[in-house]
Amino acid sequence: MTAHPPPPPGPPSDPPDQPDQPDQPDRPDRPSSSGSGSGPARPGPAVTDRLLAALAGILAGYGGLAVAALVAVLVRPEAGPVPAVGDAVVDRTPAAVKDWAIRTFGESDKAALETGILVMLALLAAGLGLLALRRRAAALTGVALLGALGALAAVTRPDSTSAADALPSLLGAATAAAVLYVLATRLTRPRPAVTTTAARSDRRGFLLAGAGVAVGATAATLAARGLGSTRSEHAAASRAALRLPRPASPAPAVPPGARLPVEGISSFVTPNKDFYRVDTALVVPRLDADTWRLRIHGTGVPEERSFTLPELMRREVVERDITLACVSNEVGGSLVGNARWLGVRLADLLRACGVRPPSEGGRADQLVARSVDGMTIGTPVEDVMDGRDALLAFGMNGEPLPFAHGFPVRMVVPGLYGYVSACKWLASLELTTFAAYDAYWVPRGWSARAPVKTQSRIDTPRPFARLTAGPRPVAVAGVAWAQHRGVSRVEVRVDDGPWQEAELGAEDSRDTWRQWVFRWPATPGRHVLTVRATDGAGAVQTGRRADVMPDGATGWHSVEVTVDAD
Ligand SMILES: Nc1nc2c(c(=O)[nH]1)N[C@H]1C(S)=C(S)[C@@H](COP(=O)(O)O)O[C@H]1N2
Ligand SMILES: [Mo]
């Protein structure tokens, strides 16, 4: 578009002989100090035009995001502006806010974040649409800045390997700018034939163009979905086709006594659909098992090696029950689960690559696992190679790993919190040192080393339950865990009374949790029930309260209940 002469002062009805006269043009031919928009006597745009301008902004945003999504499917799904900015926000969110978000939104914290980003974008888009009525260049600059922000977020993600990650945001912003330009022009340029003040802008043209944009953006969104689902169908097909090998070393059967017949107690094995999920991924990576490879490299490896999934499965396969816990689990919290894992011993694989633990003179004391989404998780090499069942797992409770739990291969190390051991969507293992490298959570204030702390939880009765005193005692029951040390005793205290021994379910292995039950002859009134466990080495769970940061919560779990007389 060419430069416009300044608008004549006077009544808003533009003369029909000046068809190209914008109502509120940008005036690139004049310095911005004098180009402040409306002249002294000119009224602002009509309310309807302002609403339409906001709509123009939203349509521009919709079109831009649709094109960005389409390009992202072709480039890399995580490089789309919404996931990229979302991931960047997650990374920069202080731990306290993250904890709040997890508490408030639970497992839908990621959906809440995406909704928040979309609402913010819609408001911004409407604002830029309004701005475009008076200052088109400023509005277009705003769109360009948003595009640059998205591009910056995408290329600075740890999993970004190519400048192409900037493309979704850049092409999306170009689309949004074009749409905004076209629609805003319809609102600010009068049609030659129309002279009434009510129809100064080309509303019909606007609506036609707007409808075109909406249809086009919807088509692009559907195309993006279609392409995306083709890709994830490949992943899903590779998972469905996967035949899990029979373990050379099966897990011993869970002893019958491990499961206590108490209603409301956590099931001994946590079904996959109920297994807690903690990760930073806004888009769950869906990897194709057929093309997956694991790279093993670093100063501690004489020669870099790489393994496919069939190569792993041809090795000696073991099956083990292991309880996994998150360092962010509050006392009494639910971020812990027990599963039957199938995989290969990590120590065997590392030895086959020539790796030696520090105790045998090995150079590397830290194993850094990297996932395809850029997460890094650092584990002591000594722990992995000290004889415990540290696994590269591909099976979980009899099926291939679910996508959300790390398909096709993840790590599981008994006795260590997940953030220092349980990398999902594994891409590589690097043998390095703690001195040389800080994994993802360490600069964010979490400890580099974090063995699981002894914990116990009351599953039933629920907090503030109303119970009835009766001839039969109340079953107070739950689970206790101290992975790799084992649980040797659980005690329950009623109010300030003495600690009383609970009945323990049989031990499956010292890497799994144990169920426990205390038969309580409940008396009427309000009571506080408290539990504590003792680990296999005889250490009693501490009652001192500690926050989850930096290396796991401590303290006793208590539940208050009210008992009514029978
Ligand atoms: N790639 C990747 N792996 C990861 C994480 C992550 O954010 N990304 N989170 C870790 C944390 S903090 C925990 S507690 C466990 C949780 O595993 P789950 O989601 O299968 O329960 O995964 C670990 N592995
Ligand atoms: Mo965790």
Side-chain angles (χ1 to χ4, degrees):
M1 196 180 214
T2 51
H4 304 288
S13 52
D14 293 313
D17 57 336
Q18 292 190 3
D20 246 323
Q21 190 63 65
D23 187 29
Q24 301 292 344
D26 276 334
R27 283 164 295 179
D29 53 333
R30 295 174 73 188
S32 59
S33 58
S34 61
S36 59
S38 53
R42 292 181 70 83
V47 173
T48 315
D49 281 346
R50 272 188 255 160
L51 284 176
L52 290 178
L55 178 63
I58 288 177
L59 281 170
Y62 180 34
L65 285 181
V67 166
L70 188 54
V71 178
V73 183
L74 304 173
V75 174
R76 205 170 60 90
E78 297 81 4
V82 176
V85 170
D87 283 333
V89 169
V90 170
D91 275 8
R92 286 165 183 76
T93 306
V97 180
K98 252 184 244 186
D99 281 354
W100 169 85
I102 292 175
R103 270 200 310 278
T104 311
F105 301 110
E107 305 230 335
S108 20
D109 56 337
K110 295 180 182 73
L113 173 63
E114 287 207 345
T115 310
I117 290 177
L118 287 177
V119 169
M120 292 258 294
L121 275 176
L123 290 175
L124 265 172
L128 287 175
L130 279 171
L131 183 63
L133 264 190
R134 289 168 177 276
R135 310 193 54 183
R136 207 177 296 152
L140 294 179
T141 307
V143 174
L145 284 177
L146 284 179
L149 189 74
L152 186 71
V155 296
T156 53
R157 298 303 307 144
D159 50 334
S160 171
T161 50
S162 136
D165 283 350
L167 282 178
S169 289
L170 295 183
L171 295 179
T175 307
V179 170
L180 188 60
Y181 183 84
V182 166
L183 292 181
T185 308
R186 294 289 176 289
L187 286 181
T188 52
R189 192 198 306 177
R191 288 176 66 196
V194 180
T195 53
T196 61
T197 51
R200 277 155 50 220
S201 59
D202 178 9
R203 287 189 189 149
R204 207 160 68 99
F206 174 92
L207 291 176
L208 279 174
V213 168
V215 169
T218 304
T221 305
L222 292 177
R225 288 241 180 98
L227 281 173
S229 64
T230 314
R231 184 164 307 181
S232 83
E233 271 158 22
H234 271 286
S238 79
R239 183 170 180 275
L242 200 65
R243 289 283 156 271
L244 290 179
R246 216 174 267 287
S249 167
V254 175
R259 296 184 164 93
L260 296 174
V262 179
E263 192 156 339
I265 200 170
S266 301
S267 73
F268 182 76
V269 173
T270 314
N272 289 353
K273 65 169 175 33
D274 299 333
F275 207 96
Y276 81 93
R277 176 184 160 209
V278 170
D279 54 60
T280 57
L282 286 179
V283 181
V284 170
R286 292 170 74 92
L287 305 189
D288 190 334
D290 299 334
T291 54
W292 180 85
R293 288 180 103 42
L294 173 69
R295 180 174 165 239
I296 301 185
H297 65 114
T299 49
V301 195
E303 197 187 334
E304 176 172 331
R305 296 280 298 273
S306 138
F307 296 87
T308 64
L309 188 54
E311 282 166 355
L312 285 190
M313 288 181 167
R314 277 197 294 274
R315 303 183 64 84
E316 186 191 332
V317 171
V318 304
E319 182 189 52
R320 294 292 180 266
D321 295 340
I322 298 167
T323 297
L324 182 61
C326 181
V327 70
S328 293
N329 195 36
E330 309 269 355
V331 172
S334 59
L335 302 180
V336 55
N338 183 42
R340 175 157 288 197
W341 309 94
L342 184 74
V344 295
R345 274 199 208 90
L346 188 46
D348 295 351
L349 194 72
L350 292 178
R351 283 199 192 273
C353 295
V355 176
R356 277 174 297 135
S359 60
E360 293 173 27
R363 298 215 319 220
D365 64 357
Q366 182 179 216
L367 176 71
V368 173
R370 263 190 196 78
S371 74
V372 296
D373 67 334
M375 171 57 63
T376 51
I377 286 185
T379 311
V381 174
E382 199 63 53
D383 289 353
V384 166
M385 302 186 78
D386 71 357
R388 74 182 78 191
D389 293 313
L391 302 182
L392 287 184
F394 35 71
M396 181 179 185
N397 291 331
E399 55 171 310
L401 284 180
F403 287 111
H405 295 290
F407 182 83
V409 177
R410 75 175 304 168
M411 268 177 57
V412 183
V413 182
L416 305 180
Y417 285 119
Y419 85 105
V420 288
S421 69
C423 191
K424 307 193 273 190
W425 314 296
L426 212 50
S428 68
L429 297 174
E430 182 183 1
L431 277 296
T432 177
T433 60
F434 280 99
Y437 188 78
D438 279 342
Y440 182 89
W441 289 110
V442 177
R444 290 168 172 81
W446 298 84
S447 295
R449 299 167 190 259
V452 171
K453 297 177 181 176
T454 304
Q455 267 299 339
S456 49
R457 181 178 76 195
I458 300 173
D459 290 335
T460 181
R462 308 292 303 160
F464 308 113
R466 282 200 95 92
L467 312 168
T468 312
R472 302 223 327 259
V474 168
V476 179
V479 284
W481 59 93
Q483 291 93 307
H484 210 54
R485 299 185 301 279
V487 170
S488 62
R489 168 197 290 214
V490 169
E491 296 159 292
V492 172
R493 189 175 72 178
V494 180
D495 302 319
D496 292 325
W499 287 102
Q500 305 182 66
E501 189 118 4
E503 178 194 333
L504 271 181
E507 179 171 78
D508 178 19
S509 91
R510 59 187 176 137
D511 296 337
T512 55
W513 62 15
R514 278 179 94 162
Q515 294 186 342
W516 57 267
V517 61
F518 174 68
R519 312 256 169 214
W520 175 40
T523 52
R526 271 168 51 174
H527 298 288
V528 175
L529 305 165
T530 304
V531 64
R532 73 176 185 191
T534 300
D535 74 9
V540 180
Q541 176 187 342
T542 177
R544 206 174 331 111
R545 281 266 168 180
D547 188 40
V548 294
M549 181 93 138
D551 62 358
T554 60
W556 296 325
H557 187 212
S558 287
V559 164
E560 186 183 316
V561 297
T562 304
V563 182
D564 296 324
D566 192 10

